[in-house]
Every structure is written in structure tokens, then in C-alpha cells.
Amino acid sequence: MAADEVASMHVEVVYAAAPHDVRTVALDLDPGAVLADAVRASGLLSSLSAEAADTLQAGIWGKAAALDTRLRDGDRVELTRGLLVDPKEARRQRYKRDGVRRAKPGIKNRGSPPK
């Protein structure tokens, strides 16, 4: 075996079944495996109906990818559900309901700009 060949590659498949219900499966796949191979090997879709599985979108590291995309060692395959509400519309509804503007997570509220 050449030095640049890898006997197997490690990937992670993640599926958020519901809010606060994230399922993760670590896999060792053969080199040359594609995204569809990882999804199939994870077994995460076995508990879903065919209709529900068809609505999921797949991606690698948060970017949409086709099922025939070749994986690399260390990739994170993500299975995502469609949005129920547009995020901008959800913010509008919260503001209308609460009358409070919320800061984005991880960003400290710096107050008013200096005059």
C-alpha cells in the first residue's frame, strides 16, 4: 500500500430528528465512498417513512452536496429537514409578539453607538 493510500476513512453522519434531538453516527468507510454510502451505512433513515426520508437534504460541513459526492477523511455529513418558517418571518413574528429585539446568539449587545 502506498503512503498516500488510506485503508479506511472516518466520517460522521449527523441528523437532527427534532429540536434538541441530534443523532450522530461515526463510520469508517472505504476510500472512494460517496455521500449516499455514508447515509446508507449510518442507518439513521431506517426509522423514517419513505416520504419523510425523501424530504431530507444532504450536505457536507453545512454545504449542500449531491449524493454522488466523494467523501474525504474527516468529513461531516449532515442530513437536514426543511424549514417550517422562514427565519426572517420568525423574527418578525417574535418582534410583533414580544416587542423586543433580540441579539444574535454569541454577539454581545453593545448598546447605542456613540454620538
Side-chain angles (χ1 to χ4, degrees), residues 8-20:
S8 68
M9 62 180 170
H10 179 77
V11 298
E12 186 177 63
V13 181
V14 179
Y15 169 57
H20 310 292

Side-chain angles (χ1 to χ4, degrees), residues 1 4 9 63 69:
M1 182 173 5
D4 59 346
M9 62 180 170
K63 295 190 179 215
T69 303

Side-chain angles (χ1 to χ4, degrees), residues 36-85:
D37 296 332
V39 171
R40 196 173 310 111
S42 73
L44 290 172
L45 302 183
S46 62
S47 63
L48 298 177
S49 66
E51 296 82 28
D54 288 341
T55 63
L56 295 177
Q57 296 177 341
I60 300 172
W61 289 108
K63 295 190 179 215
L67 292 175
D68 62 350
T69 303
R70 279 191 178 239
L71 296 173
R72 296 182 298 185
D73 188 42
D75 274 347
R76 176 185 167 105
V77 174
E78 299 168 351
L79 302 173
T80 57
R81 297 172 282 123
L83 295 175
L84 298 176
V85 178

Side-chain angles (χ1 to χ4, degrees), residues 84-100 102:
L84 298 176
V85 178
D86 176 47
K88 288 183 180 181
E89 183 59 30
R91 282 191 293 274
R92 284 187 200 105
Q93 290 174 4
R94 279 194 305 269
Y95 181 76
K96 190 175 185 180
R97 181 189 67 216
D98 301 339
V100 176
R102 295 186 179 137

